[in-house]
Amino acid sequence: MSRLRASLDVAAIAAQRFVAHDGWAIASHIALSILTSLFPFLILLAALAGLFGSKSLADEAGVLIFDAWPREVASPIVGEMHRVLTEQRGGVLTLGALLALYFSSSGVESLRVGLNRAYGLREGRPWWLTRLESIAYVVCGALAMLAFALLVVLGPLIWRKVLDVAPGLEPLSLTVAIARIAITATLIAVVLVIAHKFVAAGRRSFAAVLPGIAVTLMLWFLAGLGFGYYLDRFSSAYASTYGGLATAMVFLVFLYWLAAMFLFGGEINGTVIAARRRRLQAKMQARQAEARPL
């Protein structure tokens, strides 16, 4: 019971910190930055996949991004994504790729701003250094997406070869579908760990960022279910309000809530770290007081 009470107290303090740190405004900044950087990132993904001789690999990697999203949100975006990734672009590996790389790194920069506020830190490095770091994260992320996509593409092919040799394993075919979901979940978890440990200023241990990551994943899961249920029944409200922009607005609103939950997870970690720091300082002061001569 005391642990539950302590968890509720941490959540309440984190909510107060979220409001004090302008969490709603930062969440809108993150959502808009991700919206504007998503398709440049997909263009970069296609360019890198072209270097390996398979643009379909970029398409598969793009699908992986939206695998965990509600169908009502992801379906219209996936359609546009297929068009972007299959369109021929002359010179995309030169100036276009450089611009896509720069604009897609803005999404990382927005996460940095939000996490620094959540952890109560100030970025002391020059802007160009953090921007280069964000670009490095984008490139590494794109290569990781292509690697995961290669596993997803090769997985069924390898499985069919295995079944040809050992037909008795046919009942285990569900494993392939489960593996795809596991890959998507792994990608999300890895991105959250990297964001909390390395994107924000300073360094934190894995144990220090784990509570916020767990809260974020839980909230994202509930948001996916809830938002999908809402759109399934009330999607006409967006269409009547925003007309032809309904798809973009649904996507932006969903990103907004995901960003707010992500920042709240950072506030959870910031609250726990601050509480541990205060307890440590109190213990040190108590020991110093005991060590003083009477």
Side-chain angles (χ1 to χ4, degrees):
M1 190 67 181
S2 59
R3 181 168 296 183
L4 176 61
R5 178 62 182 273
S7 299
L8 292 177
D9 289 341
V10 168
I13 296 172
Q16 294 173 0
R17 286 167 55 100
F18 177 84
V19 174
H21 292 156
D22 301 317
W24 295 115
I26 299 298
S28 65
H29 170 55
I30 292 175
L32 188 58
S33 296
I34 292 177
L35 179 63
T36 56
S37 63
L38 177 61
F39 283 95
F41 176 75
L42 293 175
I43 292 171
L44 175 67
L45 204 62
L48 290 176
L51 291 177
F52 297 103
S54 175
K55 288 196 173 183
S56 62
L57 196 61
D59 199 36
E60 187 65 36
V63 171
L64 270 177
I65 297 175
F66 298 103
D67 256 0
W69 290 43
R71 177 180 53 83
E72 295 79 4
V73 177
S75 295
I77 304 299
V78 168
E80 289 299 314
M81 180 200 70
H82 285 306
R83 186 183 64 80
V84 169
L85 293 180
T86 55
E87 182 178 332
Q88 295 294 327
R89 289 183 176 80
V92 75
L93 291 178
T94 54
L95 180 61
L98 293 177
L99 289 175
L101 185 58
Y102 180 83
F103 286 123
S104 57
S105 67
S106 297
V108 180
E109 286 297 302
S110 66
L111 296 180
R112 190 192 310 277
V113 172
L115 285 176
N116 282 343
R117 287 204 178 194
Y119 286 109
L121 300 171
R122 294 181 64 87
E123 185 59 69
R125 293 172 294 175
W127 70 269
W128 57 267
L129 183 58
T130 57
R131 176 65 72 165
L132 287 176
E133 184 183 86
S134 297
I135 290 174
Y137 284 135
V138 169
V139 173
C140 292
L143 292 175
M145 287 294 300
L146 292 176
F148 274 108
L150 184 62
L151 291 176
V152 171
V153 171
L154 292 180
L157 298 177
I158 296 174
W159 181 247
R160 282 197 292 269
K161 293 295 183 181
V162 171
L163 290 180
D164 290 341
V165 177
L169 297 177
E170 177 68 31
L172 298 178
S173 296
L174 183 62
T175 305
V176 176
I178 295 176
R180 186 184 186 101
I181 298 174
I183 287 173
T184 304
T186 301
L187 276 174
I188 295 173
V190 169
V191 167
L192 287 176
V193 170
I194 292 174
H196 283 275
K197 278 182 63 65
F198 304 113
V199 172
R203 289 293 178 264
R204 289 146 295 280
S205 66
F206 177 75
V209 303
L210 188 58
I213 291 175
V215 169
T216 300
L217 289 174
M218 181 187 68
L219 291 177
W220 280 359
F221 175 74
L222 295 176
L225 294 178
F227 206 72
Y229 177 85
Y230 170 75
L231 289 179
D232 190 42
R233 285 156 179 78
F234 304 104
S235 58
S236 59
Y238 278 91
S240 61
T241 303
Y242 297 106
L245 296 176
T247 297
M249 290 307 301
V250 166
F251 189 52
L252 184 59
V253 169
F254 187 64
L255 285 176
Y256 177 65
W257 283 104
L258 293 186
M261 294 168 187
F262 170 78
L263 292 178
F264 181 71
E267 296 291 357
I268 290 286
N269 288 339
T271 301
V272 173
I273 291 173
R276 289 174 178 169
R277 188 181 297 120
R278 285 194 297 268
R279 285 198 299 267
L280 182 60
Q281 290 175 349
K283 287 182 180 179
M284 292 178 62
Q285 291 174 355
R287 290 175 181 173
Q288 291 174 356
E290 292 175 358
R292 290 196 193 103
L294 297 174

